[in-house]
Amino acid sequence: MIRTGVSKTRTIAATLAASACLTSPAWAQQKWEPSKPVTLVIPAGTGGGADQMARFIQGVVQKHNLMKQPLIVINKAGGAGAEGFLEMKASANDPHKIAITLSNLFTTPLGTGSPFNWKDMKPVAMLALDQFILWTNSEKPYKTAKDYIDAVKAGDDRQFKMGGTGSKQEDQIVTAAVELQTGGKKFTYVPYAGGGQVAVQLVGNHVDSTVNNPIEAVGQWRAGQLRPLCIFDAQRSTYTAKVTEKEAWSDIPTCKESGLPVEYQMLRGIFTTKNTKPEQVAFYVDLLKKVMATPDWKEFMEKGAFNQTFMSGPEFEKWLTSAETLHSDLMKNAGFLATQ
């Protein structure tokens, strides 16, 4: 069959168009894209796990040209994160705002009475679940969680200091759960603005222990300054590469293995504003999937020993509903509810 010049021209044009679709930036193929810079709100202080993850995402988006508009990161830590959440609530009609969330999504309104609920935002995706580890200073004699808990039991009430991020937040909730295993002895809980500061205070021996997330203390562990006693998960970490000269995340026993039957994991998720349209949510889900497909993300997940669980849509909303109930029960038992 003989093709005319017109047909040949159309064929070439179609080929070029298909090629352009393959080589154009990711943002060019979206039905909706931001028309101005996107603000990523961190309802937590600088240096902590949420801050590190948000700034990492910002860097990956820029490095791989995943979005046409800039991604601007800001910390709104006041009131245990209420400042950031209330800003998101007040921006209900602005699809150019997203927030990275941790479990203060539940604990802040429950513990402070702040007029906010996670349903005042639109869920985008769960990026991962973050672990908690019981840490002590490496100069201390405790080699296992049992060693430390036995020392707490033998000491005076509130003799031992537990450092953590904020009051009536995740770290203090975990601390309250640990206290159920200390024979009635309580810790003196010392709140700090962020997880980075918590790790520094433990290195300086200003507190006796912390329940920092892995990424918040990995540098000090690698430097030989801190010792991880156990991980608050049902199973050991799956990351087997050495972090220190001798140890990997997978070498840290679970707290249950160590005679401390306490488990807790924290949300790392992304939300946008309440009235954002489905195609706008879809843009952010797609953006995050592209971030998570990079080698950078895989390295970041291993560095922080994250549980790589991803959810979006109805599955994520169902998880959030269940998690809110769980935190309400935990905080009620600890006497942390604002209504108590």
Side-chain angles (χ1 to χ4, degrees), residues 32-256:
W32 177 87
E33 63 180 80
S35 58
K36 63 180 182 179
V38 173
T39 300
L40 173 51
V41 176
I42 308 170
T46 58
D51 182 69
Q52 291 185 53
M53 181 175 282
R55 295 182 188 281
F56 174 80
I57 291 171
Q58 179 191 41
V60 172
V61 169
Q62 180 178 353
K63 175 183 175 181
H64 295 281
N65 191 29
L66 299 180
M67 191 168 67
K68 186 176 182 180
Q69 293 289 340
L71 183 62
I72 300 171
V73 174
I74 58 170
N75 293 83
K76 296 281 186 177
E83 179 187 10
F85 292 132
L86 291 174
E87 176 168 327
M88 292 295 291
K89 181 178 179 180
S91 305
N93 295 316
D94 184 0
H96 295 85
K97 281 189 179 179
I98 58 176
I100 190 166
T101 58
L102 47 161
S103 294
N104 66 350
L105 179 70
F106 313 113
T107 58
T108 292
L110 288 169
T112 67
S114 176
F116 171 82
N117 183 273
W118 66 266
K119 295 175 184 176
D120 291 322
M121 300 189 296
K122 183 70 65 67
V124 175
M126 174 193 290
L127 300 179
L129 291 171
D130 206 348
Q131 307 280 12
F132 283 79
I133 288 176
L134 179 62
W135 301 90
T136 60
N137 190 299
S138 60
E139 297 174 353
K140 300 291 185 180
Y142 321 116
K143 303 299 183 183
T144 67
K146 184 178 185 302
D147 292 341
Y148 183 57
I149 297 303
D150 285 346
V152 174
K153 289 180 179 179
D156 295 332
D157 191 35
R158 303 188 187 279
Q159 173 184 338
F160 286 81
K161 296 179 180 179
M162 179 75 83
T165 304
S167 297
K168 298 182 180 180
Q169 302 296 315
E170 301 91 346
D171 290 12
Q172 193 171 11
I173 289 172
V174 176
T175 300
V178 172
E179 288 174 340
L180 296 176
Q181 311 298 322
T182 57
K185 298 294 175 63
K186 299 288 186 180
F187 291 96
T188 295
Y189 181 79
V190 185
Y192 296 99
Q197 187 180 0
V198 173
V200 170
Q201 295 300 309
L202 184 57
V203 169
N205 278 315
H206 301 295
V207 293
D208 300 290
S209 58
T210 70
V211 289
N212 255 1
N213 302 123
I215 200 170
E216 294 173 330
V218 63
Q220 291 84 354
W221 180 33
R222 189 177 288 116
Q225 298 169 314
L226 299 183
R227 177 181 296 129
L229 298 181
C230 67
I231 189 168
F232 292 94
D233 196 355
Q235 298 179 340
R236 291 194 182 201
S237 171
T238 59
Y239 299 107
T240 58
K242 297 298 181 186
V243 177
T244 69
E245 185 177 341
K246 296 181 179 180
E247 292 182 288
W249 292 117
S250 58
D251 292 320
I252 302 173
T254 67
C255 292
K256 185 176 181 180

